[in-house]
């Protein structure tokens, strides 16, 4: 069975069927982890309807309809990471990964494959502060770079736990969209 998985903050989503086409309905398992204890605090299976539009997707959930703008980019392993902005709110998530199926992930773990993760600039800006050094262990969600873009400070966070292998920028440096900021291995 093909499963689409992603994680946003403390929430984990496992789609029981991959959303395909411009609209449809699917079952998704939604789980929230308590950050302090690492224990599941909420778990529920929902029926979710979606409708794609020019900028992203509208999800129809039991509590209402929510619109999200999506900006995706391919990573080095052929996967896709998205910047997700909830319409009509200040909520934004960067570098949200989507992984198809558990079999591929398990096969890579058994083979001992080390995966290098690239954290890239999602828009042009200036690096204000670098909060990690090569060799440092990083927890998922930990701030790694502070960047100014569009006259706002944006805290770039690690998308998963790992070890920093390279810092590709310096404080004060101007960067373009897609520029590598930090590389780390899982």
């Amino acid at each position: 069975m093909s499963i689409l998985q992603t994680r946003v903050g403390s929430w984990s989503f496992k789609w029981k069927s991959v959303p395909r086409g411009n609209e449809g309905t699917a079952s998704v398992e939604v789980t929230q982890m308590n950050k302090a204890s690492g224990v599941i605090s909420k778990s529920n299976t929902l029926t979710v309807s979606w409708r794609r539009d020019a900028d992203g997707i509208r999800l129809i959930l039991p509590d209402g309809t929510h619109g999200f703008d999506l900006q995706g980019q391919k990573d080095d392993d052929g996967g896709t990471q998205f910047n997700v902005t909830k319409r009509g709110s200040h909520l934004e998530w960067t570098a949200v990964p989507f992984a198809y199926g558990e079999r591929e992930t398990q096969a890579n773990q058994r083979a001992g494959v080390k995966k290098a993760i690239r954290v890239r600039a999602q828009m042009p800006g200036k690096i204000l502060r670098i909060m990690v050094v090569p060799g440092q262990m990083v927890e998922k969600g930990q701030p790694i770079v502070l960047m100014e873009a569009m006259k706002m400070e944006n805290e770039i966070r690690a998308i998963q736990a790992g070890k920093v292998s390279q810092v590709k920028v310096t404080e004060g440096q101007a960067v373009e969209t897609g520029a590598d900021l930090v590389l780390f291995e899982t």
Side-chain angles (χ1 to χ4, degrees):
M1 170 171 56
S2 182
I3 298 176
L4 176 66
Q5 300 178 76
T6 191
R7 194 173 272 289
V8 177
S10 63
W11 294 91
S12 172
F13 303 89
K14 289 184 181 178
W15 294 77
K16 300 301 180 184
S17 60
V18 178
R20 296 192 190 281
N22 290 329
E23 61 183 80
T25 301
S27 180
V28 63
E29 181 183 324
V30 181
T31 306
Q32 184 179 28
M33 296 291 271
N34 181 309
K35 287 184 181 184
S37 67
V39 175
I40 294 175
S41 59
K42 292 182 184 177
S43 183
N44 198 3
T45 299
L46 303 173
T47 299
V48 176
S49 296
W50 73 88
R51 177 172 292 161
R52 292 185 188 184
D53 57 33
D55 296 318
I57 192 167
R58 291 198 164 278
L59 296 179
I60 302 160
L61 303 169
D63 70 334
T65 301
H66 306 274
F68 298 91
D69 292 333
L70 305 173
Q71 183 179 33
Q73 68 181 25
K74 293 284 184 187
D75 62 22
D76 292 338
D77 297 323
T80 304
Q81 295 184 0
F82 289 89
N83 288 337
V84 181
T85 305
K86 185 174 181 184
R87 296 175 185 157
S89 80
H90 67 282
L91 298 175
E92 183 175 341
W93 302 273
T94 58
V96 176
F98 286 82
Y100 287 95
E102 296 175 351
R103 287 185 213 122
E104 179 180 323
T105 302
Q106 291 169 351
N108 286 346
Q109 288 171 347
R110 283 192 302 272
V113 174
K114 286 191 176 181
K115 182 178 172 186
I117 303 295
R118 296 175 183 269
V119 177
R120 296 182 173 148
Q122 301 304 313
M123 62 184 71
K126 180 180 175 181
I127 304 301
L128 299 178
R129 188 166 26 129
I130 299 169
M131 299 176 230
V132 294
V133 295
Q136 178 179 345
M137 291 305 295
V138 177
E139 294 296 320
K140 181 179 178 178
Q142 177 179 335
I144 56 175
V145 175
L146 184 64
M147 182 176 154
E148 178 184 4
M150 298 174 34
K151 299 189 181 194
M152 293 182 64
E153 289 184 2
N154 298 287
E155 199 172 68
I156 313 296
R157 296 177 175 269
I159 59 172
Q160 65 185 63
K163 181 179 179 182
V164 175
S165 58
Q166 283 186 306
V167 176
K168 304 286 278 183
V169 292
T170 59
E171 291 182 359
Q173 179 180 347
V175 295
E176 294 297 322
T177 302
D180 287 343
L181 303 176
V182 176
L183 304 180
F184 65 98
E185 52 191 57
T186 56

